[in-house]
Amino acid sequence: MMENKLDQEWYEGDVEETSGDYSFTEYDLTAAPNDFNIKTIYDFIESGVMEIPNFQRNYVWDLKRASKLVESIIIGLPVPQIFLFEKSRNKFLVIDGQQRLMTIYYFIKKRFPKRDKRAFIGRVFDKIKGIPDDILFNNTYFDNFNLYLPSDVPNQRNVLNGLNYSTLGDDYKTMFELRTIRNVIIKQNIPPGDDSSIYEIFNRLNSGGMNLKPQEIRSSLYASRFYDLLYKLNQDERWRKLLGTEEDIHLKDIEILLRAFALLIEGYKTYRPSMLRFLNNFSKKNSNIEQEKIEYLEKLFDAFLERCEGLDIKAFSSRKGKFNISMFEAIFASVCEDAFKNKNTEVSPIDNSKLKILKEDQEFFDASQSETASKKNVIKRVERAKAILLG
């Protein structure tokens, strides 16, 4: 039975953020304020121009708080600004403001999500970038969004209480639709091409107080068919058995697969730190990967898992018993290298006795324990793995 290690790390050999290859980075950013009216904001969400990251998508506001936002918009009270990160032309990732945006979206839809169904609704939204009518108008998942605005003054009723988007009346509805909210669009100019500032921006600006891991942000920033493949492979029972844990809520298991494929596809000798930038650039480069290559990589990973079926249950674990990321990616890149170069799925065999020798090899051990994301140690691990496993 797989162990669910919620209170301790189930892996090691990961120093993406703390290795010696870290350096202070200065950014040149553009922050452009734009005042969009409510109807435009709704259209942007509906069309996918504004993309709400999957790690933000769970809606947490109650009906009273959501109603207060709608009331504030109608009567002209200021609403906190929205922060967006420009992914590409006319494509923006929401950094801060998800609850406000989704309140607007739900109010215009005239439906309010039930609390115990919000995780499911979030997954649906993530998958198809919207909510289909058979879920939206299913009372199992949603209630009607009628404003809940009880009056604090006895015998004095709030005229908006109980109304919805359709019953607001022309005047209130027009006021609601034409009110504007300031949206600050942030674009990274320098360094070009790596989008690395999004990690700093999100964790410093986001008002939700979430401390996100790099892969949580990366998975939203570079959502693609390649990432769909990683999610699919991550659910393979044979892979889960090798990891020895349930799916990681912070996507560390997805990151492990990403690192392994990045070293294989880019070539370990081309690696340059930091690991964070290496994975970002690889993700961006493969965001438009061909379907034919996706299918090939799936078959290649299947062949790799078949080679692992006779291995010890802790095949990729260190002496401490934890899954070692540095060890796994080196072995994966080594045994899959020839197959990848020759565009076939003839993954090299993995022998238990040779794997034991590799784990006890002092050079491999040293390169797997400190400064594991340095260029020298990445190359050293793969070359020792090739020498021992394939020799």
Side-chain angles (χ1 to χ4, degrees):
M1 182 176 178
M2 291 183 293
E3 185 179 355
N4 186 10
K5 305 171 184 177
L6 296 177
D7 299 322
Q8 60 177 324
E9 303 293 10
W10 50 270
Y11 57 86
E12 64 174 18
D14 167 52
V15 286
E16 178 171 327
E17 298 171 277
T18 58
S19 77
D21 61 39
Y22 174 80
S23 61
F24 180 79
T25 301
E26 291 189 38
Y27 295 102
D28 176 33
L29 303 174
T30 301
N34 292 266
D35 292 334
F36 298 136
N37 67 44
I38 298 299
K39 188 64 169 65
T40 298
I41 289 173
Y42 170 80
D43 290 340
F44 281 171
I45 299 171
E46 186 85 323
S47 64
V49 170
M50 282 184 180
E51 180 184 334
I52 297 172
N54 50 17
F55 53 75
Q56 280 199 54
R57 198 159 285 130
N58 282 348
Y59 187 70
V60 298
W61 281 12
D62 60 22
L63 182 59
K64 185 174 182 179
R65 187 172 183 183
S67 298
K68 279 291 185 183
L69 175 72
V70 174
E71 180 190 36
S72 295
I73 294 171
I74 292 173
I75 66 179
L77 293 179
V79 174
Q81 59 193 358
I82 308 292
F83 284 92
L84 307 171
F85 185 83
E86 185 174 330
K87 292 176 63 177
S88 58
R89 184 177 177 84
N90 296 326
K91 208 73 173 173
F92 306 103
L93 191 70
V94 177
I95 299 172
D96 187 36
Q98 177 251 3
Q99 300 297 316
R100 280 159 275 156
L101 292 174
M102 290 308 294
T103 295
I104 291 167
Y105 178 83
Y106 288 136
F107 183 65
I108 293 178
K109 290 290 189 184
K110 298 176 289 186
R111 301 291 281 171
F112 195 77
K114 292 190 174 182
R115 186 170 294 278
D116 63 339
K117 301 299 181 182
R118 292 179 183 183
F120 170 78
I121 292 168
R123 290 194 295 271
V124 171
F125 199 108
D126 183 41
K127 186 174 182 179
I128 66 174
K129 310 307 178 189
I131 304 172
D133 287 350
D134 62 333
I135 292 177
L136 184 66
F137 296 105
N138 187 328
N139 291 335
T140 300
Y141 302 102
F142 285 88
D143 292 315
N144 290 326
F145 194 157
N146 297 317
L147 295 176
Y148 177 61
L149 297 165
S151 177
D152 295 328
V153 181
N155 303 318
Q156 186 173 331
R157 180 178 177 275
N158 188 319
V159 296
L160 298 176
N161 187 49
L163 300 181
N164 61 39
Y165 180 66
S166 293
T167 61
L168 276 179
D170 291 341
D171 288 345
Y172 287 136
K173 189 173 182 181
T174 299
M175 281 191 282
F176 175 73
E177 291 180 345
L178 296 184
R179 296 290 191 198
T180 60
I181 297 178
R182 174 145 296 185
N183 289 253
V184 179
I185 299 176
I186 301 171
K187 180 179 181 180
Q188 178 179 317
N189 302 315
I190 297 175
D194 69 0
D195 299 320
S196 56
S197 65
I198 184 65
Y199 300 91
E200 293 293 339
I201 294 168
F202 186 88
N203 281 322
R204 293 175 189 231
L205 289 183
N206 182 262
S207 61
M210 292 182 290
N211 185 19
L212 293 170
K213 302 295 184 181
Q215 189 58 41
E216 293 179 275
I217 299 174
R218 189 182 292 124
S219 291
S220 287
L221 196 60
Y222 304 111
S224 62
R225 284 184 296 187
F226 180 69
Y227 267 81
D228 289 342
L229 171 65
L230 296 183
Y231 281 106
K232 182 178 181 180
L233 299 181
N234 195 45
Q235 295 175 6
D236 192 298
E237 290 183 5
R238 296 168 297 174
W239 170 240
R240 306 282 358 140
K241 185 177 179 181
L242 289 175
L243 293 176
T245 186
E246 296 177 4
E247 291 185 50
D248 190 84
I249 60 172
H250 297 298
L251 309 183
K252 178 55 70 174
D253 38 14
I254 296 292
E255 184 179 277
I256 294 171
L257 289 171
L258 176 67
R259 286 175 61 148
F261 276 114
L263 285 179
L264 174 67
I265 295 172
E266 292 297 298
Y268 66 94
K269 290 183 179 179
T270 69
Y271 168 77
R272 291 179 58 192
S274 70
M275 182 61 74
L276 185 146
R277 284 205 175 122
F278 177 67
L279 296 180
N280 288 352
N281 291 337
F282 175 77
S283 297
K284 189 170 188 176
K285 182 178 177 181
N286 287 275
S287 59
N288 293 311
I289 191 170
E290 304 88 352
Q291 182 61 32
E292 183 180 355
K293 191 169 184 179
I294 290 287
E295 293 171 2
Y296 167 70
L297 293 175
E298 183 175 1
K299 292 176 182 177
L300 181 66
F301 192 70
D302 180 73
F304 170 76
L305 291 178
E306 286 186 5
R307 289 297 194 188
C308 293
E309 285 186 355
L311 299 181
D312 295 335
I313 191 167
K314 292 286 187 179
F316 300 107
S317 297
S318 67
R319 298 169 186 176
K320 298 177 183 178
K322 294 185 176 183
F323 186 94
N324 189 284
I325 299 172
S326 299
M327 180 192 303
F328 168 76
E329 66 191 17
I331 294 170
F332 179 82
S334 300
V335 300
C336 293
E337 185 179 52
D338 286 344
F340 182 75
K341 286 181 178 178
N342 295 319
K343 298 180 180 178
N344 61 45
T345 57
E346 296 176 13
V347 174
S348 301
I350 308 173
D351 182 76
N352 264 317
S353 59
K354 290 184 176 181
L355 189 56
K356 184 178 180 181
I357 294 171
L358 178 65
K359 288 184 177 183
E360 294 173 352
D361 181 76
Q362 193 62 45
E363 288 185 75
F364 184 81
F365 178 79
D366 291 343
S368 302
Q369 293 301 309
S370 63
E371 296 187 3
T372 58
S374 69
K375 183 178 180 70
K376 176 187 71 174
N377 283 340
V378 168
I379 293 176
K380 173 63 71 176
R381 287 196 303 272
V382 178
E383 291 189 339
R384 291 306 296 157
K386 287 171 65 177
I388 293 173
L389 296 178
L390 309 182

